[in-house]
Amino acid sequence: QKEVEQNSGPLSVPEGAIASLNCTYSDRGSQSFFWYRQYSGKSPELIMFIYSNGDKEDGRFTAQLNKASQYVSLLIRDSQPSDSATYLCALLSYQLTFGKGTKLSVIP
Amino acid sequence: IAGITQAPTSQILAAGRRMTLRCTQDMRHNAMYWYRQDLGLGLRLIHYSNTAGTTGKGEVPDGYSVSRANTDDFPLTLASAVPSQTSVYFCASSDSLGDTQYFGPGTRLTVL
């Protein structure tokens, strides 16, 4: 059974701060990792994916992967109120397995 | 049509009734998926299809069936709905099974 663990939150950060979202997983065979953002009442939308150990940056978002420690994280720099949403971590080996999500609140 | 569409947007259904949720994509993606999302349980895969004519079972397939007659459409059928099938249902698609998945807007289903 592939497990993907996320702190459900809510995680509250002030506007302009760095939000750090973490995800651990149990399946060492997982090759690809995804972060989705889901606004309340909406569908998940892809933010980033990462395959290799290390950091991957896209604008204000940085995904970090450490396969040896089996964790993947998402950093959001200069957090904005519009970043308030639930963030879903997902891993892909054969099928996509989702964590339950972390709710982020950015306080103006 | 742009991306993935789902119908209906929401539905209230009496237990025991048959219901088909529709999903159509116009991206010519080979793979399609059905998920349900429940509070506290996250997104769980119901069924998937890696190409037209083939389907497979996900984590929670019981009580659901799918078909994939062509590339674009992937309907999900509840043969005899039960209250535990009350959920939000998302259809997704990807170029292949190992690729990034894109989600439709969802169908909110309530079974009474």
Side-chain angles (χ1 to χ4, degrees), chain B:
Chain B
I1 297 178
I4 302 176
T5 58
Q6 292 184 236
T9 301
S10 65
Q11 181 75 44
I12 298 174
L13 188 66
R17 298 296 295 268
R18 181 184 180 90
M19 177 73 192
T20 296
L21 307 185
R22 300 185 297 278
C23 175
T24 300
Q25 55 102 358
D26 67 354
M27 297 178 283
R28 307 304 294 173
H29 281 169
N30 290 307
M32 297 187 75
Y33 314 82
W34 275 105
Y35 292 89
R36 60 178 290 174
Q37 188 173 37
D38 304 286
L39 274 175
L41 295 176
L43 276 162
R44 293 179 293 168
L45 182 66
I46 304 171
H47 284 287
Y48 66 93
S49 167
N50 64 353
T51 190
T54 68
T55 62
K57 294 181 179 180
E59 180 184 354
V60 288
D62 294 343
Y64 306 94
S65 63
V66 292
S67 61
R68 187 89 183 276
N70 57 59
T71 297
D72 299 343
D73 301 300
F74 192 42
L76 177 73
T77 297
L78 290 67
S80 179
V82 295
S84 62
Q85 292 177 311
T86 294
S87 187
V88 180
Y89 291 86
F90 289 105
C91 179
S93 72
S94 64
D95 196 28
S96 70
L97 275 183
D99 287 332
T100 302
Q101 293 183 22
Y102 299 92
F103 284 79
T107 293
R108 182 175 295 276
L109 181 67
T110 302
V111 182
L112 301 176

Side-chain angles (χ1 to χ4, degrees), chain A residues 29-82:
Chain A
S30 299
Q31 296 297 315
S32 307
F33 304 85
F34 300 81
W35 283 100
Y36 285 82
R37 177 177 62 199
Q38 186 174 25
Y39 292 113
S40 181
K42 301 296 185 181
S43 59
E45 57 178 326
L46 181 71
I47 299 175
M48 292 187 71
F49 59 87
I50 186 167
Y51 303 138
S52 304
N53 276 327
D55 296 358
K56 179 181 179 183
E57 188 174 317
D58 184 0
R60 295 187 297 112
F61 298 97
T62 299
Q64 299 175 318
L65 175 60
N66 185 321
K67 291 187 177 181
S69 300
Q70 295 176 252
Y71 81 79
V72 57
S73 62
L74 181 70
L75 302 178
I76 306 175
R77 290 182 299 281
D78 188 24
S79 295
Q80 301 297 309
S82 58

